[in-house]
Amino acid sequence: MNNTIKFDNAHHTTLPNGLRVMTCHTPDANEAHVSIAVRAGHFYDPNDCQGLAHLLEHMLFMGSRHFPKPNAINDFIAQHGGTLNAWTGTEYANYHYSCHAGALAQTLPGFADMLRQPLFEELSIENEVKNIHAEFEFKKKDDLRRLYQIHKETCNPEHPFSKFSVGNSDTFSKHTSLELKQRLKSMHQQRYCGKNLCLCIASPMPQKQLDALILQCFGGFSTGQLASDTWPPLYRSDELGIQINIQPLQSAKRMIVTFALPPLQNDYKCKPLNYISHLLGDEGDGSLLAFLKEKDWALNLIAGAGIEGDGFKDFNVSFQLTDEGLENKYQILEALFSYIKLIEKASGEAWRYEEKVQLDTLALEYEENIKPLNLITDYAQHQFIFSPSELNVLRTTIGNFDQAVILNALSYFTSSNIRLKVISKGVNVNRTCAFYEAMYSVEKISKDTIAKLDTPRNIASLALPPPNPYLGSEYQLALPEPGFHLPNKLIEQKGYRFWFAQDQQFHSPKGDIYISFDAKGFSDSLNAVAAKRIWLGALNDHLQAKYYRAEIAGLHYRIYGHQAGFTLHTRGFTNQQTLLAAQLMDAVVSFIPNQRDFSHHKQLQEQALHNALLNKPTNRLFSRLSVLIQRNTQAPIELLDVMSEISYEQMLDARERAFGHYFAEAFMHGNWNTTHANEYAQSLSNSCGNATGTPLSRAVSKLPTGETLYHHVNCKHDDGAVVLYLQAPTADLSDTALCMVLEQMLAAPFFNALRTEQQLGYIVGTGYVPHNQHPGIAFYIQSPEREPKYLLDAMTTFLFQQLNEIEFYRFYWPTIQQNLLKQLEERDLTLSMKSQRLWVSLGTQDLAFDRHLKLAECVKNLSFEEIQVFADQLAKRERCGEIVLYSDGKFPPMHCPEKRSINSITEFKQKIPYH
């Protein structure tokens, strides 16, 4: 069974009321996917009630004629194996869901009813205003949101992009609940009509039957009028050629160069912006980024992103700067324009464009991890822009070279057409933006700078990329070999272990290689971990330009830290992958940063750790939970002190100890045969000369049962937040299954009770949270309105009530069981996902590679009486360990029993027993 969607034979129709429909027949799919786009984004908000479109989106979930209770439609979709969600954008709102393939006929009428016949009850309106305000407060200290608001304030105030799209209690409180209800009904009546709706469905249902179902569900919408999309220019001349200085909360230094364009992203035949961003974003030798890194001016460059709509496009070139780069920002700007001139001069060189086409063709042909619902959601909106014939080829049109189109696109990349954002704590500011209180200033870029950019100097070290040496011409499949569909141990010796499995499922010319190093020298102290982080940062920086072209040719790599050391992971096409892995291994064991690189990456690590401390409270609490539960995980707050003190010599010493004695384990999975695997296994063994160690422990703290531990996390955020974590007594199948079942059982009621009914905050939820495969359940709330003590009391009251009344869930148990089994029994969707699952199984010693199936069998055989016993033991605090993590925010401190408070992370981890 699969969920592959082919758009080339999509069926298009228009209902009598003007509603456009695109359907894709997926005969082998086990799921159906539905999305509807509505031309009712925040551009259509009334000027005196900004955020109304967002509130309307929320209200559609709060009850309709046939599902009058709030969120009842979500529960209904969940009972049919699906999820329902929505968002409000600039020009469009979108509602989308998935469900079991056979459940479309049952769910689509309810989905249509939600959209067509909402109730708009005044109490629900008041509650959703509170939820939207909580959402606003949650993002108030988000630098991206602050940047976005400043963007709005510095564009044409007559353009609807300038409106405040989110809404909050201040904007809505100008109207009574009755007035808001009338506004909502009016907007709904105007916008949610046939001509303003485009529906896209992928389903195995036969076409005639599906057409009849769609007409039955959506034929009742009124015809209405298509909403106008004629807006004034996004930027007038005053809003171009300007520099906007912004003070961020995080200690990052960034520069964003924005080119104001017409909607060139909609040119799917040539795709000029994809080609330009491909060249500007190059990271290899001769690239703009390589030049800036050599100067020690920039750390990173991203080209092409930016706001866009049906009639406009921002093309951003975003730089992460060093201190010196900030001082030389205009030289960076000149280098950017010099590189753009190179692209313009080479616009007639078709081979470079054709190479990009070849890369895109390969990416599409062997695409992995496709999310069908995301595609369906995109196509719902695409129907407003493209014709049916264009829609059917939209995804498969790779691009046709057209120099005139490319030159036309480049004609907008001029000095007078830019907006320059400089983001740093040290910039001069004189204004405060609305809602988010971010400081900024606006000034005209000087005429001298503009003139210099018009005729940038030639920079000899800048060059467009040469032909890609990693791009293969053909990819062949290895012949299957019996017994190798699961990992086989090819080498087992002291300090080194190598596993191999052949892909016999996906028939793709791809594969994955994992090499993990357990090294005490990089994990046995805070100092060692700080040294590892600096070394890894410098190593990845060293490799970036060297292997960038392998990346864009479909040969990817990551080198990242873990609790016991670090891992090298390569993935992608198997042609030349072992060569790439061998080259990376040579770099890993031989690379020694110089003093300059050390100082540079030490500063970056300090900045990253400082920024981690600015994360939202719930993120901080979950991060700290991992630190407390996992023996070899460290807290940013502890690492910061060590990072600031570590010397170059200490880093060198840690690296020498790490590579003097370690344990290496490797896994190769994909389109190789055993001859290739054995050759590579032996080659890797030769590279791991000092692999003489043993695997290091991944122990987890054993939380006490019968009492609750408390830990305070100091966050620079006004919201109060609490995470309550229940740790299962063992990691066996039974305890794991029971944790998963109970979390699924309580998730929706917890959300409904504490968010929808009690209005405690925007961030409310539950999660199955294992640490190193040891199961547990987390309950969390982040609130702008209530202190942690109140939140914790609400949580525990809910839990004890639900656990003592677990009999209520007997009716829902078969549906919960079915949904959980679906998740556990779901086949690997991609080769890389399978590689990762097998690699995790090796790490947890699941050498039968079937723990998920055993877990499914355990869930299948679980009786409701066993769940009752588990719930009863939880209610009596006889089963699970408990820890409460909390952040006070703007509220008074929560007083906890001193004996059960964790004040020192180090002391706690030294004293606690471990599983």
Side-chain angles (χ1 to χ4, degrees):
M1 303 291 277
N2 66 76
N3 289 309
T4 304
I5 302 173
K6 293 184 178 178
F7 294 95
D8 53 355
N9 60 352
H11 178 71
H12 301 268
T13 187
T14 302
L15 300 189
N17 59 10
L19 190 152
R20 282 163 279 184
V21 182
M22 177 177 179
T23 54
C24 303
H25 188 53
T26 51
D28 299 324
N30 53 13
E31 283 188 322
H33 305 279
V34 179
S35 176
I36 195 161
V38 194
R39 190 175 273 181
H42 87 81
F43 279 13
Y44 298 96
D45 282 344
N47 287 326
D48 65 343
C49 194
Q50 296 180 26
L52 188 68
H54 185 204
L55 178 59
L56 176 54
E57 173 224 311
H58 276 238
M59 287 308 302
L60 295 195
F61 290 84
M62 292 298 106
S64 63
R65 182 177 174 186
H66 294 288
F67 289 92
K69 289 186 178 179
N71 295 313
I73 182 66
N74 300 63
D75 296 340
F76 180 69
I77 298 289
Q79 287 167 24
H80 291 86
T83 53
L84 170 67
N85 215 332
W87 49 257
T88 302
T90 50
E91 288 151 291
Y92 301 99
N94 190 284
Y95 302 82
H96 44 273
Y97 79 96
S98 60
C99 64
H100 293 313
L104 185 64
Q106 289 92 337
T107 56
L108 198 63
F111 179 67
D113 180 63
M114 160 194 166
L115 295 163
R116 189 165 76 92
Q117 302 186 96
L119 298 180
F120 296 129
E121 291 183 347
E122 287 179 44
L123 179 60
S124 291
I125 293 171
E126 292 168 9
N127 286 340
E128 286 314 297
V129 166
K130 290 177 186 174
N131 278 330
I132 285 175
H133 185 74
E135 180 182 349
F136 162 74
E137 288 286 343
F138 173 66
K139 296 285 181 74
K140 200 170 180 180
K141 292 189 180 294
D142 184 317
D143 271 330
L144 287 177
R145 278 286 179 100
R146 292 153 63 87
L147 197 66
Y148 194 56
Q149 179 59 29
I150 292 169
H151 194 143
K152 287 172 172 290
E153 292 186 14
T154 54
C155 74
N156 181 357
E158 299 301 315
H159 193 285
F161 177 73
S162 64
K163 294 177 182 178
F164 177 48
S165 57
V166 179
N168 64 12
S169 59
D170 292 335
T171 62
F172 293 129
S173 64
K174 296 171 184 175
H175 311 275
T176 65
S177 297
L178 180 59
E179 287 169 342
L180 280 175
K181 178 175 182 174
Q182 290 165 344
R183 291 290 188 103
L184 289 164
K185 289 179 78 170
S186 175
M187 178 178 263
H188 179 264
Q189 187 177 5
Q190 264 192 307
R191 303 290 173 229
Y192 285 68
C193 59
K195 288 193 174 178
N196 267 340
L197 297 169
C198 287
L199 176 69
C200 189
I201 298 180
S203 161
M205 184 181 285
Q207 190 64 53
K208 283 188 178 180
Q209 188 181 338
L210 183 56
D211 287 345
L213 177 64
I214 291 168
L215 183 60
Q216 172 199 332
C217 295
F218 294 93
F221 281 80
S222 65
T223 302
Q225 294 295 320
L226 179 65
S228 170
D229 62 349
T230 304
W231 316 113
L234 180 59
Y235 308 114
R236 301 167 302 184
S237 58
D238 287 354
E239 286 107 25
L240 294 171
I242 60 172
Q243 178 175 319
I244 306 165
N245 302 311
I246 301 169
Q247 278 191 357
L249 292 173
Q250 294 198 341
S251 54
K253 297 173 182 66
R254 293 169 61 206
M255 183 170 83
I256 301 173
V257 184
T258 299
F259 295 91
L261 314 179
L264 300 179
Q265 76 276 12
N266 293 334
D267 181 345
Y268 70 94
K269 293 177 181 175
C270 178
K271 303 185 179 180
L273 297 189
N274 286 12
Y275 178 62
I276 294 167
S277 63
H278 167 70
L279 295 177
L280 278 175
D282 187 73
E283 298 175 9
D285 294 333
S287 68
L288 176 59
L289 179 61
F291 167 75
L292 297 176
K293 288 177 87 168
E294 182 61 32
K295 289 278 190 182
D296 195 25
W297 288 352
L299 308 167
N300 196 11
L301 182 160
I302 299 171
I307 64 163
E308 61 183 57
D310 290 357
F312 61 91
K313 167 66 182 171
D314 275 4
F315 187 105
N316 289 347
V317 185
S318 179
F319 303 88
Q320 187 182 351
L321 303 179
T322 62
D323 289 340
E324 205 169 327
L326 191 63
E327 294 293 318
N328 291 278
K329 54 184 174 290
Y330 297 123
Q331 284 92 326
I332 294 173
L333 201 53
E334 189 179 8
L336 168 63
F337 275 84
S338 183
Y339 203 79
I340 289 169
K341 288 291 182 189
L342 285 180
I343 297 173
E344 193 176 332
K345 285 176 187 173
S347 62
E349 297 175 6
W351 71 264
R352 195 170 274 114
Y353 184 94
E354 295 303 330
E355 184 180 271
K356 175 73 168 71
V357 167
Q358 191 180 349
L359 289 165
D360 291 346
T361 304
L362 281 171
L364 184 64
E365 185 177 356
Y366 298 109
E367 189 175 16
E368 289 190 333
N369 206 19
I370 303 165
K371 294 183 168 64
L373 191 55
N374 290 357
L375 286 176
I376 291 299
T377 298
D378 288 343
Y379 271 85
Q381 187 168 318
H382 287 335
Q383 290 175 82
F384 282 101
I385 305 167
F386 300 103
S387 68
S389 59
E390 289 174 321
L391 289 164
N392 283 23
V393 297
L394 201 58
R395 188 163 154 75
T396 51
T397 300
I398 297 299
N400 299 306
F401 176 69
D402 189 326
Q403 186 183 10
V405 171
I406 293 167
L407 284 172
N408 175 64
L410 286 167
S411 71
Y412 295 96
F413 286 72
T414 62
S415 58
S416 58
N417 198 37
I418 66 167
R419 289 159 56 87
L420 177 66
K421 292 193 185 84
V422 180
I423 304 158
S424 172
K425 289 198 170 182
V427 295
N428 292 322
V429 292
N430 56 19
R431 305 185 197 181
T432 304
C433 78
F435 306 111
Y436 295 92
E437 298 165 7
M439 300 290 292
Y440 73 103
S441 64
V442 181
E443 59 192 65
K444 270 286 183 184
I445 299 173
S446 73
K447 290 181 180 177
D448 288 347
T449 301
I450 293 287
K452 200 177 281 187
L453 298 180
D454 280 337
T455 54
R457 66 189 175 90
N458 180 54
I459 299 173
S461 56
L462 289 180
L464 295 181
N468 194 318
Y470 293 96
L471 192 56
S473 55
E474 59 181 61
Y475 297 90
Q476 295 180 335
L477 297 180
L479 293 173
E481 299 178 57
F484 282 92
H485 63 292
L486 289 176
N488 282 242
K489 197 187 298 178
L490 298 189
I491 297 180
E492 170 80 273
Q493 58 194 43
K494 183 174 171 55
Y496 176 68
R497 194 183 293 150
F498 190 99
W499 302 81
F500 170 64
Q502 190 182 52
D503 168 44
Q504 298 177 5
Q505 179 182 346
F506 293 96
H507 311 295
S508 167
K510 291 186 174 184
D512 292 73
I513 298 171
Y514 288 90
I515 310 163
S516 175
F517 296 81
D518 280 18
K520 283 187 178 180
F522 274 159
S523 61
D524 61 0
S525 67
L526 283 166
N527 203 76
V529 174
K532 175 180 71 176
R533 288 176 66 130
I534 295 169
W535 176 79
L536 279 172
L539 172 65
N540 278 302
D541 198 27
H542 168 72
L543 296 172
Q544 187 176 14
K546 200 170 184 182
Y547 295 109
Y548 175 74
R549 298 205 169 98
E551 283 273 342
I552 60 173
L555 278 168
H556 310 288
Y557 74 91
R558 279 183 68 216
I559 305 174
Y560 57 92
H562 59 66
Q563 296 169 55
F566 68 95
T567 293
L568 163 63
H569 174 208
T570 63
R571 65 180 177 85
F573 295 111
T574 48
N575 284 19
Q576 301 191 67
Q577 189 177 154
T578 52
L579 173 63
L580 174 66
Q583 291 171 339
L584 291 168
M585 263 301 300
D586 288 343
V588 163
V589 296
S590 63
F591 176 71
I592 300 175
N594 59 33
Q595 178 74 57
R596 177 192 167 194
D597 291 339
F598 167 79
S599 300
H600 178 63
H601 285 280
K602 174 181 172 178
Q603 184 183 358
L604 288 180
Q605 287 299 322
E606 288 184 75
Q607 182 178 302
L609 290 166
H610 272 294
N611 288 341
L613 297 178
L614 296 174
N615 283 340
K616 297 174 185 70
T618 41
N619 295 4
R620 289 285 314 281
L621 297 184
F622 274 107
S623 174
R624 184 62 61 83
L625 176 65
S626 295
V627 170
L628 293 173
I629 299 296
Q630 297 176 157
R631 177 187 278 173
N632 293 322
T633 300
Q634 289 75 25
I637 192 76
E638 290 187 311
L639 278 171
L640 251 177
D641 295 336
V642 176
M643 193 71 73
S644 62
E645 298 296 326
I646 192 170
S647 68
Y648 179 60
E649 289 70 28
Q650 287 174 310
M651 188 273 293
L652 291 181
D653 178 63
R655 182 205 161 273
E656 189 174 341
R657 286 193 305 114
F659 285 105
H661 180 71
Y662 58 86
F663 172 78
E665 182 161 30
F667 173 47
M668 185 179 192
H669 173 237
N671 183 48
W672 290 281
N673 59 37
T674 51
T675 302
H676 287 136
N678 278 304
E679 286 172 358
Y680 178 68
Q682 193 53 56
S683 167
L684 181 60
S685 176
N686 297 337
S687 301
C688 296
N690 292 334
T692 54
T694 55
L696 299 182
S697 167
R698 265 69 162 178
V700 296
S701 302
K702 187 176 183 179
L703 299 179
T705 54
E707 63 178 34
T708 307
L709 299 179
Y710 297 88
H711 181 62
H712 175 252
V713 178
N714 189 28
C715 296
K716 295 179 180 178
H717 199 288
D718 288 344
D719 287 2
V722 173
V723 170
L724 168 61
Y725 185 68
L726 305 178
Q727 182 190 57
T730 74
D732 66 22
L733 290 171
S734 175
D735 277 338
T736 303
L738 285 165
C739 276
M740 295 176 87
V741 165
L742 199 68
E743 189 277 326
Q744 293 260 320
M745 207 167 261
L746 296 178
F750 186 81
F751 180 88
N752 288 336
L754 301 181
R755 185 184 187 274
T756 306
E757 293 171 14
Q758 296 184 39
Q759 297 288 306
L760 293 185
Y762 175 64
I763 304 299
V764 176
T766 69
Y768 169 69
V769 184
H771 292 100
N772 298 341
Q773 300 296 303
H774 194 104
I777 311 173
F779 302 86
Y780 57 91
I781 305 176
Q782 181 176 321
S783 175
E785 305 293 339
R786 294 292 188 175
E787 69 275 13
K789 176 71 167 64
Y790 189 97
L791 301 178
L792 182 59
D793 287 347
M795 275 183 184
T796 52
T797 300
F798 169 86
L799 279 174
F800 287 129
Q801 179 188 351
Q802 299 298 314
L803 293 171
N804 285 317
E805 297 173 6
I806 202 75
E807 177 63 30
F808 170 78
Y809 292 96
R810 187 183 288 274
F811 173 77
Y812 298 100
W813 166 229
T815 302
I816 292 166
Q817 186 181 43
Q818 184 185 10
N819 290 341
L820 197 50
L821 286 172
K822 176 177 172 282
Q823 293 171 34
L824 290 168
E825 293 173 343
E826 194 171 66
R827 294 184 69 187
D828 304 299
L829 298 177
T830 68
L831 192 150
S832 271
M833 284 175 69
K834 184 172 183 178
S835 298
Q836 186 178 28
R837 178 177 63 79
L838 295 172
W839 175 237
V840 169
S841 295
L842 287 169
T844 56
Q845 296 297 298
D846 171 25
L847 300 186
F849 306 102
D850 62 353
R851 180 177 167 83
H852 63 303
L853 296 177
K854 288 177 180 172
L855 203 49
E857 192 63 27
C858 192
V859 171
K860 198 178 292 182
N861 295 328
L862 206 59
S863 70
F864 191 75
E865 285 66 32
E866 289 174 279
I867 298 168
Q868 283 180 305
V869 170
F870 182 59
D872 183 59
Q873 290 172 328
L874 274 185
K876 293 176 180 175
R877 294 186 158 164
E878 296 173 347
R879 182 75 174 242
C880 290
E882 285 183 38
I883 185 169
V884 170
L885 298 97
Y886 64 97
S887 172
D888 296 318
K890 64 187 176 187
F891 302 102
M894 183 165 82
H895 297 292
C896 305
E898 184 61 33
K899 286 184 179 179
R900 289 187 274 150
S901 293
I902 302 168
N903 298 315
S904 163
I905 299 171
T906 304
E907 187 180 338
F908 169 78
K909 294 177 86 163
Q910 286 172 347
K911 290 183 177 179
I912 196 80
Y914 285 88
H915 284 289

